[in-house]
Amino acid sequence: MRVIFMGTPDFSVPVLDALVDAGHDVVAVYSQPPRPAGRGKKDRPSPVQARAEALGLPVHHPVSVRNEDAQAVFASHNADIAVVVAYGLILPQVILDTPTHGCLNIHASLLPRWRGAAPIHRAIMAGDAATGVCIMQMEAGLDTGPVLLRQATPIAPAETTGQLHDRLSAMGAALVVEALDRLPELTPETQSEDGVTYAAKIDKAEARVDWDRPAAEVANHICGLSPFPGAWCDVDGERVKLHVAEVIDGDAAPGTVLQGFDVACATGAVRITRAQRPGKRPMDAADVLRGLDLGDRLI
């Protein structure tokens, strides 16, 4: 099929590779414009743009697709379908209607649960037992379109957003290739209005750990914000990021350091297994503790 691919971050790259490897004719790639990055703050292309250029594919990075010129360029590719995954721009109806078979979106949740910007983070933070990937026909609403295919996967104990991100990206890549192969036979499934939840964008202001919550919630909070933006606590005036935590037995005042990097919560306790000091890389907790005194209580 003649495919327009629209994506921006690392999550989208395996999908682009899968479409090319499956023999689809990727006639154009759309991505967010290059952004300042690194110490020099020089414009850096998105991961999708960099990969598309390496594959020799034409890349567009308009600031908007709402103007007539951008829409004319989009239409000029005469695409059979567009595949969209974490593109970053809301597509107007005229764009959605342009390809012969419309636009398919790869969404990293089991819709209608976790519509919106941060479904992977929110699933872990909420303590969901499972999540998955949906291939959805796009419409004007926020992740409201009918679902063509879905695949579930359990969320492992202490699994981080970074780990789950990579698994769901690979799942989405395989599932969208299957969807394109089976497109004529698939029946769109209208999403239920029961069980709708919204995955709000992660705000750095919610990253501080609250030891006054139950241990399971604290562990999910830490794993759900790993690696970015990273949950954190204050250790003698130093902001230490906590990347992986597991629930353990413990009974003490919230924030009490029990032993090693075991910390009491409102009920139970958590064991921090990976952490990161300012200016350092993430390390196993034992390595972090060689140069850090937690004291008797964390705040």
Side-chain angles (χ1 to χ4, degrees):
M1 299 179 77
R2 290 177 60 83
V3 177
I4 292 175
F5 180 76
M6 309 181 81
T8 297
D10 289 322
F11 185 85
S12 310
V13 173
V15 182
L16 175 59
D17 284 337
L19 292 171
V20 172
D21 291 345
H24 292 287
D25 183 11
V26 180
V27 294
V29 172
Y30 279 72
S31 190
Q32 287 283 294
R35 309 290 191 199
R39 292 184 179 180
K41 296 298 180 182
K42 294 182 178 179
D43 282 353
R44 179 181 297 174
S46 73
V48 163
Q49 179 177 341
R51 182 58 182 153
E53 290 175 347
L55 292 170
L57 301 173
V59 179
H60 303 279
H61 42 72
V63 174
S64 171
V65 290
R66 292 187 174 277
N67 61 77
E68 291 184 0
D69 289 343
Q71 292 164 7
V73 171
F74 189 86
S76 71
H77 296 297
N78 296 315
D80 296 314
I81 203 162
V83 172
V84 184
V85 51
Y87 176 42
L89 289 180
I90 295 175
L91 303 182
Q93 193 66 48
V94 64
I95 291 289
L96 299 179
D97 293 340
T98 294
T100 305
H101 299 290
C103 300
L104 298 187
N105 176 252
I106 302 172
H107 188 75
S109 81
L110 297 176
L111 293 167
R113 186 154 178 81
W114 301 128
R115 294 174 179 172
I120 303 175
H121 294 81
R122 297 299 178 187
I124 293 178
M125 292 171 73
D128 289 4
T131 185
V133 172
C134 286
I135 308 300
M136 175 190 70
Q137 284 186 336
M138 294 182 72
E139 57 183 33
L142 178 63
D143 300 328
T144 58
V147 174
L148 295 178
L149 285 175
R150 63 176 65 227
Q151 182 177 349
T153 185
I155 299 175
E159 186 167 19
T160 66
T161 283
Q163 294 166 332
L164 185 57
H165 167 285
D166 293 348
R167 288 206 296 118
L168 293 181
S169 176
M171 285 173 55
L175 201 61
V176 79
V177 169
E178 179 184 346
L180 295 184
D181 288 345
R182 297 175 54 198
L183 198 60
E185 67 184 76
L186 295 177
T187 301
E189 170 196 327
T190 301
Q191 289 187 44
S192 171
E193 289 304 312
D194 294 329
V196 173
T197 55
Y198 289 94
K201 184 178 179 180
I202 299 297
D203 189 330
K204 290 183 180 180
E206 62 185 303
R208 185 166 189 162
V209 175
D210 180 2
W211 305 110
D212 288 317
R213 297 166 65 185
E217 292 183 14
V218 172
N220 291 335
H221 180 79
I222 290 169
C223 292
L225 294 181
S226 176
F228 181 83
W232 62 274
C233 67
D234 184 278
V235 180
D236 194 23
E238 183 175 309
R239 182 175 292 195
V240 177
K241 287 188 175 183
L242 311 177
H243 286 285
V244 185
E246 58 189 33
V247 177
I248 60 171
D249 292 331
D251 185 13
T256 300
V257 178
L258 303 175
Q259 63 175 3
F261 220 141
D262 298 352
V263 186
C265 304
T267 55
V270 295
R271 173 168 293 156
I272 309 302
T273 58
R274 284 186 69 77
Q276 180 181 7
R277 298 182 69 181
K280 305 291 186 180
R281 60 179 177 80
M283 300 184 219
D284 289 342
D287 295 326
V288 173
L289 292 176
R290 287 193 180 97
L292 183 68
D293 181 5
L294 297 181
D296 297 327
R297 188 170 182 271
L298 299 181
I299 60 174

